[in-house]
Amino acid sequence: MTTTAWDDALAMADDAFGSAALDENLVDLATTTVASPIGDLLVVATRDAIVRIAFDVEDHNIVLMQLAEAISPRIVPARTPMLDDARRQLDEYFAGERGAFDLPLDLRLAKGPFRREVLDHLRDIPTGQTRTYAELAAAAGRPRAVRAVGSGCASNPIPVVIPCHRVLRTGGELGGYLGGVTRKRWLLDHEHGHAA
């Protein structure tokens, strides 16, 4: 057996093991890595929803350790319908064929009701458009909570799918971004070029 065939067989066995373990409730989180134009994205899901997406600059091993502490240490790489759907939708997004995502999301990693509300408002920003932190604060009914909105965006556990990259500083400056400003600019340019 060639090295490539052996690697493929091991990957298939890992996927089968992970999927079976999830089906038998032996694990709580399944993971996969999605290659993208902005680097590899770690996608983590429960049986029912996406709970985390991490950029490669976040160090996927550290993210997995944080998830083990915050949710459960029972984490395996696996191929599941939820992760397959997430992979398909991310691929469509990066190909310019999708603007909004239709995935069930688990927001337990977003601490506090206001941060969750901010994440809900982020999903209302149409593809190819932006809002300011101040506009999001006003939309959430707390116009003076601009810093809290910034904190909510900075701690977004599901970037790209929940489009915190569409939020700018007043005056149009990019502001910060968990994946880095270069990725934020790439995402905005990509969406502007493919917005319907």
Side-chain angles (χ1 to χ4, degrees):
M1 185 178 279
T2 66
T3 302
T4 303
W6 179 253
D7 290 343
D8 290 345
L10 284 175
M12 287 176 52
D14 282 347
D15 283 343
F17 170 79
S19 296
L22 200 62
D23 288 343
E24 296 296 322
N25 291 319
L26 300 174
V27 296
D28 299 313
L29 298 172
T31 70
T32 193
T33 303
V34 176
S36 83
I38 57 172
D40 288 345
L41 300 173
L42 174 68
V43 182
V44 184
T46 64
R47 177 187 315 280
D48 304 314
I50 304 300
V51 71
R52 183 76 163 90
I53 294 178
F55 295 105
D56 53 7
V57 296
E58 295 180 74
D59 190 330
H60 293 168
N61 289 326
I62 291 173
V63 171
L64 292 172
M65 287 189 294
Q66 292 167 340
L67 289 168
E69 290 178 12
I71 298 176
S72 170
R74 299 184 335 156
I75 305 171
V76 297
R79 185 160 188 168
T80 68
M82 179 66 55
L83 290 174
D84 285 346
D85 196 26
R87 177 185 299 278
R88 179 185 56 78
Q89 290 192 35
L90 284 164
D91 288 345
E92 290 170 354
Y93 170 81
F94 287 114
E97 300 165 358
R98 170 181 290 276
F101 292 87
D102 182 24
L103 294 166
L105 305 178
D106 180 329
L107 298 178
R108 75 178 86 181
L109 296 173
K111 303 298 181 199
F114 184 68
R115 285 187 179 179
R116 288 189 183 124
E117 186 177 352
V118 167
L119 296 180
D120 286 338
H121 285 289
L122 287 171
R123 289 187 272 183
D124 294 335
I125 304 172
T127 305
Q129 295 185 24
T130 59
R131 300 290 184 270
T132 65
Y133 295 106
E135 288 172 324
L136 273 182
R142 292 179 55 189
R144 299 182 69 188
V146 174
R147 287 188 182 195
V149 167
S151 177
C153 288
S155 61
N156 175 7
I158 311 174
V160 181
V161 171
I162 299 178
C164 56
H165 58 274
R166 296 179 188 157
V167 183
L168 307 175
R169 289 182 178 162
T170 301
E173 295 176 35
L174 286 182
Y177 189 59
L178 181 62
V181 175
T182 302
R183 283 180 181 83
K184 184 172 186 172
R185 170 54 57 205
W186 190 96
L187 290 164
L188 290 171
D189 290 346
H190 173 70
E191 290 183 356
H192 183 71
H194 292 95

